Amino acid sequence: MLFLIGMPASGKSTLAHKVSNLFQWQSADLDQEIQKLLQKSIPKIFESEGEIFFREIEAKVLRKIPVEPQKIVATGGGTPCFHQNIDYMLSAGKVVFWDTPLPVIVERILRHKAQRPMFAQKTNAEIEHFVQKLYQERLPFYTKAHFRAKEWSDIEKIIQRADF
Ligand SMILES: Nc1ncnc2c1ncn2[C@@H]1O[C@H](COP(=O)(O)OP(=O)(O)O)[C@@H](O)[C@H]1O
Ligand SMILES: O=C(O)C1=C[C@@H](OP(=O)(O)O)[C@@H](O)[C@H](O)C1
Ligand SMILES: [Mg+2]
């Protein structure tokens, strides 16, 4: 099983779908599993229950996703940084850091910021600064991954060479 980690808006959810379609792999999206379980959108969960509750549920749901070969799981941007989730993922499967360039991430967040609870209340300049800071804080977790991928060809190589 492959876990995708990386910044919010780096494209983890999109990439999991693409791998699933192209290689007929199973896929799962941790945020979607949480939304299904609680019958609430991620922004609503943040708003009504708060981040601490979200991180607890996130850690539990992560560990409930069945570990199977030829399966790719998109996690949330913060997943590896809480509740020893990175150690769990490193032991349960292979972990890929999807390292999209920060300017691309900033541009995507600015386009859809209303849907993202961490960014909705911030000005554009604040978002840019916040994304830089978040990247620096999270890099020590992200770089624990088995693989660091920057483009699609990196993903293809990982899928072809690793025995999952
Ligand atoms: N390779 C890509 N090229 C262009 N846009 C992309 C690409 N991957 C993702 N996106 C867009 O970026 C946004 C965030 O993608 P998403 O897969 O939700 O990221 P994440 O799950 O990492 O937050 C979405 O609007 C998506 O359509
Ligand atoms: O970076 C984060 O802390 C978060 C990223 C989101 O997932 P994506 O990375 O799929 O946007 C989602 O889990 C939640 O809003 C928190
Ligand atoms: Mg996602």
Side-chain angles (χ1 to χ4, degrees), residues 64-101:
K64 289 231 158 72
I65 295 175
V67 176
E68 292 161 309
Q70 304 204 322
K71 179 170 178 177
I72 184 161
V73 178
T75 65
T79 309
C81 315
F82 296 88
H83 299 294
Q84 285 84 46
N85 293 336
I86 185 64
D87 298 320
Y88 167 72
M89 292 188 279
L90 287 167
S91 63
K94 296 286 183 199
V95 182
V96 179
F97 171 24
W98 183 234
D99 193 15
T100 302

mmCIF file of all heavy atoms in Angstrom, residues 64-101:
data_model
loop_
_atom_site.group_PDB
_atom_site.id
_atom_site.type_symbol
_atom_site.label_atom_id
_atom_site.label_comp_id
_atom_site.label_asym_id
_atom_site.label_seq_id
_atom_site.Cartn_x
_atom_site.Cartn_y
_atom_site.Cartn_z
ATOM 1 N N LYS A 64 -7.761 2.591 10.479
ATOM 2 C CA LYS A 64 -8.854 1.662 10.116
ATOM 3 C C LYS A 64 -8.891 1.373 8.615
ATOM 4 O O LYS A 64 -9.614 0.479 8.177
ATOM 5 C CB LYS A 64 -10.196 2.275 10.536
ATOM 6 C CG LYS A 64 -10.382 2.296 12.043
ATOM 7 C CD LYS A 64 -11.720 1.684 12.442
ATOM 8 C CE LYS A 64 -11.717 1.206 13.876
ATOM 9 N NZ LYS A 64 -11.735 2.310 14.851
ATOM 10 N N ILE A 65 -8.149 2.128 7.823
ATOM 11 C CA ILE A 65 -8.149 1.868 6.376
ATOM 12 C C ILE A 65 -7.428 0.540 6.138
ATOM 13 O O ILE A 65 -6.266 0.397 6.537
ATOM 14 C CB ILE A 65 -7.460 3.022 5.603
ATOM 15 C CG1 ILE A 65 -8.280 4.312 5.749
ATOM 16 C CG2 ILE A 65 -7.290 2.678 4.120
ATOM 17 C CD1 ILE A 65 -7.639 5.550 5.138
ATOM 18 N N PRO A 66 -8.107 -0.438 5.538
ATOM 19 C CA PRO A 66 -7.468 -1.743 5.351
ATOM 20 C C PRO A 66 -6.187 -1.630 4.523
ATOM 21 O O PRO A 66 -6.162 -0.945 3.496
ATOM 22 C CB PRO A 66 -8.529 -2.559 4.607
ATOM 23 C CG PRO A 66 -9.825 -1.871 4.894
ATOM 24 C CD PRO A 66 -9.492 -0.418 5.036
ATOM 25 N N VAL A 67 -5.125 -2.283 5.009
ATOM 26 C CA VAL A 67 -3.845 -2.269 4.305
ATOM 27 C C VAL A 67 -3.863 -3.398 3.280
ATOM 28 O O VAL A 67 -3.980 -4.575 3.647
ATOM 29 C CB VAL A 67 -2.673 -2.462 5.307
ATOM 30 C CG1 VAL A 67 -1.341 -2.550 4.575
ATOM 31 C CG2 VAL A 67 -2.661 -1.310 6.311
ATOM 32 N N GLU A 68 -3.783 -3.018 2.011
ATOM 33 C CA GLU A 68 -3.875 -4.003 0.929
ATOM 34 C C GLU A 68 -2.864 -3.673 -0.150
ATOM 35 O O GLU A 68 -2.520 -2.500 -0.333
ATOM 36 C CB GLU A 68 -5.284 -3.965 0.315
ATOM 37 C CG GLU A 68 -6.353 -4.483 1.269
ATOM 38 C CD GLU A 68 -7.761 -4.050 0.895
ATOM 39 O OE1 GLU A 68 -7.983 -2.845 0.678
ATOM 40 O OE2 GLU A 68 -8.629 -4.908 0.818
ATOM 41 N N PRO A 69 -2.411 -4.690 -0.899
ATOM 42 C CA PRO A 69 -1.495 -4.390 -1.998
ATOM 43 C C PRO A 69 -2.218 -3.633 -3.116
ATOM 44 O O PRO A 69 -3.445 -3.680 -3.210
ATOM 45 C CB PRO A 69 -1.023 -5.763 -2.476
ATOM 46 C CG PRO A 69 -1.957 -6.759 -1.890
ATOM 47 C CD PRO A 69 -2.679 -6.127 -0.749
ATOM 48 N N GLN A 70 -1.463 -2.945 -3.934
ATOM 49 C CA GLN A 70 -2.009 -2.191 -5.071
ATOM 50 C C GLN A 70 -3.146 -1.262 -4.638
ATOM 51 O O GLN A 70 -4.243 -1.280 -5.178
ATOM 52 C CB GLN A 70 -2.475 -3.138 -6.165
ATOM 53 C CG GLN A 70 -1.341 -4.061 -6.610
ATOM 54 C CD GLN A 70 -1.521 -4.601 -7.999
ATOM 55 O OE1 GLN A 70 -2.630 -4.919 -8.396
ATOM 56 N NE2 GLN A 70 -0.448 -4.689 -8.750
ATOM 57 N N LYS A 71 -2.829 -0.485 -3.630
ATOM 58 C CA LYS A 71 -3.805 0.480 -3.116
ATOM 59 C C LYS A 71 -3.055 1.760 -2.791
ATOM 60 O O LYS A 71 -1.933 1.713 -2.276
ATOM 61 C CB LYS A 71 -4.452 -0.098 -1.864
ATOM 62 C CG LYS A 71 -5.485 0.815 -1.204
ATOM 63 C CD LYS A 71 -6.212 0.005 -0.148
ATOM 64 C CE LYS A 71 -7.232 0.802 0.622
ATOM 65 N NZ LYS A 71 -7.956 -0.068 1.579
ATOM 66 N N ILE A 72 -3.676 2.913 -3.097
ATOM 67 C CA ILE A 72 -3.041 4.208 -2.818
ATOM 68 C C ILE A 72 -3.985 5.040 -1.954
ATOM 69 O O ILE A 72 -5.180 5.132 -2.242
ATOM 70 C CB ILE A 72 -2.638 4.925 -4.130
ATOM 71 C CG1 ILE A 72 -1.884 6.217 -3.827
ATOM 72 C CG2 ILE A 72 -3.819 5.176 -5.066
ATOM 73 C CD1 ILE A 72 -1.071 6.753 -4.996
ATOM 74 N N VAL A 73 -3.436 5.622 -0.909
ATOM 75 C CA VAL A 73 -4.242 6.381 0.048
ATOM 76 C C VAL A 73 -3.756 7.825 0.096
ATOM 77 O O VAL A 73 -2.603 8.090 0.444
ATOM 78 C CB VAL A 73 -4.142 5.753 1.462
ATOM 79 C CG1 VAL A 73 -4.949 6.561 2.468
ATOM 80 C CG2 VAL A 73 -4.611 4.310 1.439
ATOM 81 N N ALA A 74 -4.632 8.753 -0.274
ATOM 82 C CA ALA A 74 -4.307 10.178 -0.134
ATOM 83 C C ALA A 74 -4.611 10.589 1.296
ATOM 84 O O ALA A 74 -5.720 10.346 1.793
ATOM 85 C CB ALA A 74 -5.145 10.999 -1.106
ATOM 86 N N THR A 75 -3.640 11.176 1.966
ATOM 87 C CA THR A 75 -3.873 11.664 3.334
ATOM 88 C C THR A 75 -4.114 13.175 3.282
ATOM 89 O O THR A 75 -4.037 13.793 2.221
ATOM 90 C CB THR A 75 -2.656 11.344 4.232
ATOM 91 O OG1 THR A 75 -1.522 12.084 3.760
ATOM 92 C CG2 THR A 75 -2.340 9.865 4.225
ATOM 93 N N GLY A 76 -4.415 13.782 4.434
ATOM 94 C CA GLY A 76 -4.539 15.238 4.509
ATOM 95 C C GLY A 76 -3.154 15.845 4.743
ATOM 96 O O GLY A 76 -2.244 15.150 5.203
ATOM 97 N N GLY A 77 -3.025 17.140 4.455
ATOM 98 C CA GLY A 77 -1.711 17.790 4.566
ATOM 99 C C GLY A 77 -1.083 17.680 5.950
ATOM 100 O O GLY A 77 0.140 17.608 6.090
ATOM 101 N N GLY A 78 -1.929 17.660 6.983
ATOM 102 C CA GLY A 78 -1.389 17.631 8.352
ATOM 103 C C GLY A 78 -1.226 16.225 8.913
ATOM 104 O O GLY A 78 -0.638 16.050 9.989
ATOM 105 N N THR A 79 -1.730 15.227 8.199
ATOM 106 C CA THR A 79 -1.773 13.859 8.744
ATOM 107 C C THR A 79 -0.443 13.366 9.323
ATOM 108 O O THR A 79 -0.418 12.867 10.457
ATOM 109 C CB THR A 79 -2.279 12.860 7.667
ATOM 110 O OG1 THR A 79 -3.496 13.355 7.111
ATOM 111 C CG2 THR A 79 -2.484 11.473 8.245
ATOM 112 N N PRO A 80 0.688 13.518 8.604
ATOM 113 C CA PRO A 80 1.933 12.934 9.143
ATOM 114 C C PRO A 80 2.439 13.627 10.402
ATOM 115 O O PRO A 80 3.330 13.108 11.074
ATOM 116 C CB PRO A 80 2.949 13.115 8.008
ATOM 117 C CG PRO A 80 2.263 13.826 6.917
ATOM 118 C CD PRO A 80 0.882 14.180 7.317
ATOM 119 N N CYS A 81 1.883 14.791 10.716
ATOM 120 C CA CYS A 81 2.445 15.641 11.781
ATOM 121 C C CYS A 81 1.786 15.426 13.141
ATOM 122 O O CYS A 81 2.135 16.108 14.112
ATOM 123 C CB CYS A 81 2.318 17.110 11.388
ATOM 124 S SG CYS A 81 2.802 17.430 9.689
ATOM 125 N N PHE A 82 0.804 14.534 13.233
ATOM 126 C CA PHE A 82 0.074 14.349 14.489
ATOM 127 C C PHE A 82 -0.002 12.869 14.866
ATOM 128 O O PHE A 82 -0.029 11.990 13.993
ATOM 129 C CB PHE A 82 -1.351 14.916 14.359
ATOM 130 C CG PHE A 82 -1.360 16.404 14.140
ATOM 131 C CD1 PHE A 82 -1.277 16.931 12.853
ATOM 132 C CD2 PHE A 82 -1.419 17.278 15.225
ATOM 133 C CE1 PHE A 82 -1.265 18.312 12.644
ATOM 134 C CE2 PHE A 82 -1.411 18.656 15.023
ATOM 135 C CZ PHE A 82 -1.328 19.171 13.730
ATOM 136 N N HIS A 83 -0.064 12.601 16.165
ATOM 137 C CA HIS A 83 -0.362 11.263 16.705
ATOM 138 C C HIS A 83 0.506 10.144 16.109
ATOM 139 O O HIS A 83 0.003 9.050 15.858
ATOM 140 C CB HIS A 83 -1.847 10.942 16.517
ATOM 141 C CG HIS A 83 -2.760 11.891 17.235
ATOM 142 N ND1 HIS A 83 -2.797 11.973 18.608
ATOM 143 C CD2 HIS A 83 -3.639 12.819 16.771
ATOM 144 C CE1 HIS A 83 -3.680 12.901 18.961
ATOM 145 N NE2 HIS A 83 -4.192 13.435 17.869
ATOM 146 N N GLN A 84 1.768 10.431 15.898
ATOM 147 C CA GLN A 84 2.701 9.408 15.349
ATOM 148 C C GLN A 84 2.175 8.774 14.060
ATOM 149 O O GLN A 84 2.503 7.633 13.723
ATOM 150 C CB GLN A 84 2.972 8.286 16.377
ATOM 151 C CG GLN A 84 3.890 8.672 17.501
ATOM 152 C CD GLN A 84 3.160 9.379 18.622
ATOM 153 O OE1 GLN A 84 2.094 8.936 19.059
ATOM 154 N NE2 GLN A 84 3.703 10.488 19.080
ATOM 155 N N ASN A 85 1.357 9.521 13.316
ATOM 156 C CA ASN A 85 0.790 8.958 12.084
ATOM 157 C C ASN A 85 1.870 8.610 11.070
ATOM 158 O O ASN A 85 1.737 7.633 10.327
ATOM 159 C CB ASN A 85 -0.194 9.942 11.444
ATOM 160 C CG ASN A 85 -1.436 10.144 12.291
ATOM 161 O OD1 ASN A 85 -1.791 9.287 13.097
ATOM 162 N ND2 ASN A 85 -2.112 11.273 12.105
ATOM 163 N N ILE A 86 2.942 9.407 11.053
ATOM 164 C CA ILE A 86 3.993 9.125 10.057
ATOM 165 C C ILE A 86 4.637 7.772 10.357
ATOM 166 O O ILE A 86 4.902 6.980 9.436
ATOM 167 C CB ILE A 86 5.042 10.269 9.959
ATOM 168 C CG1 ILE A 86 6.047 10.000 8.839
ATOM 169 C CG2 ILE A 86 5.755 10.528 11.269
ATOM 170 C CD1 ILE A 86 5.488 9.956 7.448
ATOM 171 N N ASP A 87 4.854 7.480 11.641
ATOM 172 C CA ASP A 87 5.471 6.190 11.990
ATOM 173 C C ASP A 87 4.540 5.034 11.640
ATOM 174 O O ASP A 87 4.982 3.997 11.160
ATOM 175 C CB ASP A 87 5.837 6.167 13.479
ATOM 176 C CG ASP A 87 6.854 7.243 13.804
ATOM 177 O OD1 ASP A 87 7.766 7.448 12.984
ATOM 178 O OD2 ASP A 87 6.738 7.899 14.852
ATOM 179 N N TYR A 88 3.244 5.250 11.895
ATOM 180 C CA TYR A 88 2.277 4.213 11.515
ATOM 181 C C TYR A 88 2.347 3.937 10.000
ATOM 182 O O TYR A 88 2.441 2.791 9.562
ATOM 183 C CB TYR A 88 0.845 4.620 11.908
ATOM 184 C CG TYR A 88 -0.151 3.716 11.237
ATOM 185 C CD1 TYR A 88 -0.299 2.388 11.660
ATOM 186 C CD2 TYR A 88 -0.881 4.140 10.118
ATOM 187 C CE1 TYR A 88 -1.148 1.525 11.004
ATOM 188 C CE2 TYR A 88 -1.734 3.278 9.451
ATOM 189 C CZ TYR A 88 -1.866 1.974 9.901
ATOM 190 O OH TYR A 88 -2.680 1.104 9.227
ATOM 191 N N MET A 89 2.329 5.011 9.197
ATOM 192 C CA MET A 89 2.318 4.837 7.733
ATOM 193 C C MET A 89 3.613 4.190 7.240
ATOM 194 O O MET A 89 3.601 3.333 6.359
ATOM 195 C CB MET A 89 2.091 6.190 7.039
ATOM 196 C CG MET A 89 0.697 6.737 7.265
ATOM 197 S SD MET A 89 0.337 8.208 6.276
ATOM 198 C CE MET A 89 1.114 9.487 7.248
ATOM 199 N N LEU A 90 4.745 4.585 7.848
ATOM 200 C CA LEU A 90 6.034 4.020 7.430
ATOM 201 C C LEU A 90 6.089 2.519 7.711
ATOM 202 O O LEU A 90 6.732 1.771 6.974
ATOM 203 C CB LEU A 90 7.184 4.730 8.157
ATOM 204 C CG LEU A 90 7.489 6.155 7.680
ATOM 205 C CD1 LEU A 90 8.402 6.871 8.670
ATOM 206 C CD2 LEU A 90 8.113 6.152 6.289
ATOM 207 N N SER A 91 5.397 2.088 8.757
ATOM 208 C CA SER A 91 5.440 0.654 9.067
ATOM 209 C C SER A 91 4.350 -0.122 8.325
ATOM 210 O O SER A 91 4.535 -1.298 8.022
ATOM 211 C CB SER A 91 5.333 0.427 10.579
ATOM 212 O OG SER A 91 4.089 0.912 11.025
ATOM 213 N N ALA A 92 3.240 0.543 8.007
ATOM 214 C CA ALA A 92 2.125 -0.177 7.359
ATOM 215 C C ALA A 92 2.321 -0.321 5.845
ATOM 216 O O ALA A 92 1.789 -1.230 5.235
ATOM 217 C CB ALA A 92 0.806 0.536 7.646
ATOM 218 N N GLY A 93 3.060 0.599 5.232
ATOM 219 C CA GLY A 93 3.222 0.550 3.781
ATOM 220 C C GLY A 93 4.406 1.383 3.332
ATOM 221 O O GLY A 93 5.349 1.569 4.093
ATOM 222 N N LYS A 94 4.343 1.858 2.097
ATOM 223 C CA LYS A 94 5.371 2.771 1.597
ATOM 224 C C LYS A 94 4.775 4.177 1.551
ATOM 225 O O LYS A 94 3.600 4.353 1.197
ATOM 226 C CB LYS A 94 5.821 2.375 0.194
ATOM 227 C CG LYS A 94 6.492 1.021 0.132
ATOM 228 C CD LYS A 94 7.896 1.058 0.705
ATOM 229 C CE LYS A 94 8.561 -0.291 0.562
ATOM 230 N NZ LYS A 94 9.694 -0.461 1.462
ATOM 231 N N VAL A 95 5.597 5.183 1.881
ATOM 232 C CA VAL A 95 5.106 6.552 1.969
ATOM 233 C C VAL A 95 5.790 7.406 0.905
ATOM 234 O O VAL A 95 7.015 7.358 0.753
ATOM 235 C CB VAL A 95 5.379 7.141 3.376
ATOM 236 C CG1 VAL A 95 4.830 8.562 3.477
ATOM 237 C CG2 VAL A 95 4.761 6.254 4.459
ATOM 238 N N VAL A 96 4.984 8.175 0.175
ATOM 239 C CA VAL A 96 5.502 9.059 -0.867
ATOM 240 C C VAL A 96 5.186 10.507 -0.503
ATOM 241 O O VAL A 96 4.027 10.855 -0.267
ATOM 242 C CB VAL A 96 4.847 8.755 -2.243
ATOM 243 C CG1 VAL A 96 5.376 9.708 -3.313
ATOM 244 C CG2 VAL A 96 5.091 7.313 -2.655
ATOM 245 N N PHE A 97 6.210 11.341 -0.464
ATOM 246 C CA PHE A 97 6.033 12.788 -0.271
ATOM 247 C C PHE A 97 5.853 13.413 -1.651
ATOM 248 O O PHE A 97 6.776 13.423 -2.465
ATOM 249 C CB PHE A 97 7.269 13.337 0.451
ATOM 250 C CG PHE A 97 7.364 14.845 0.550
ATOM 251 C CD1 PHE A 97 6.238 15.670 0.489
ATOM 252 C CD2 PHE A 97 8.606 15.442 0.743
ATOM 253 C CE1 PHE A 97 6.335 17.057 0.586
ATOM 254 C CE2 PHE A 97 8.731 16.829 0.847
ATOM 255 C CZ PHE A 97 7.596 17.629 0.760
ATOM 256 N N TRP A 98 4.653 13.917 -1.917
ATOM 257 C CA TRP A 98 4.340 14.572 -3.193
ATOM 258 C C TRP A 98 4.709 16.050 -3.037
ATOM 259 O O TRP A 98 3.959 16.830 -2.462
ATOM 260 C CB TRP A 98 2.861 14.370 -3.532
ATOM 261 C CG TRP A 98 2.395 14.912 -4.843
ATOM 262 C CD1 TRP A 98 1.342 15.776 -5.018
ATOM 263 C CD2 TRP A 98 2.905 14.624 -6.168
ATOM 264 N NE1 TRP A 98 1.168 16.032 -6.359
ATOM 265 C CE2 TRP A 98 2.111 15.346 -7.088
ATOM 266 C CE3 TRP A 98 3.958 13.831 -6.648
ATOM 267 C CZ2 TRP A 98 2.333 15.304 -8.465
ATOM 268 C CZ3 TRP A 98 4.183 13.789 -8.021
ATOM 269 C CH2 TRP A 98 3.381 14.512 -8.902
ATOM 270 N N ASP A 99 5.887 16.397 -3.528
ATOM 271 C CA ASP A 99 6.510 17.692 -3.224
ATOM 272 C C ASP A 99 6.281 18.707 -4.355
ATOM 273 O O ASP A 99 7.205 19.037 -5.092
ATOM 274 C CB ASP A 99 8.015 17.458 -2.981
ATOM 275 C CG ASP A 99 8.693 18.663 -2.362
ATOM 276 O OD1 ASP A 99 7.998 19.561 -1.860
ATOM 277 O OD2 ASP A 99 9.939 18.688 -2.388
ATOM 278 N N THR A 100 5.064 19.191 -4.439
ATOM 279 C CA THR A 100 4.686 20.204 -5.440
ATOM 280 C C THR A 100 5.329 21.551 -5.072
ATOM 281 O O THR A 100 5.363 21.899 -3.884
ATOM 282 C CB THR A 100 3.141 20.326 -5.450
ATOM 283 O OG1 THR A 100 2.608 19.051 -5.754
ATOM 284 C CG2 THR A 100 2.639 21.352 -6.436
ATOM 285 N N PRO A 101 5.838 22.319 -6.059
ATOM 286 C CA PRO A 101 6.464 23.607 -5.725
ATOM 287 C C PRO A 101 5.506 24.555 -4.979
ATOM 288 O O PRO A 101 4.315 24.636 -5.316
ATOM 289 C CB PRO A 101 6.821 24.199 -7.100
ATOM 290 C CG PRO A 101 6.851 23.031 -8.034
ATOM 291 C CD PRO A 101 5.883 22.023 -7.498
#
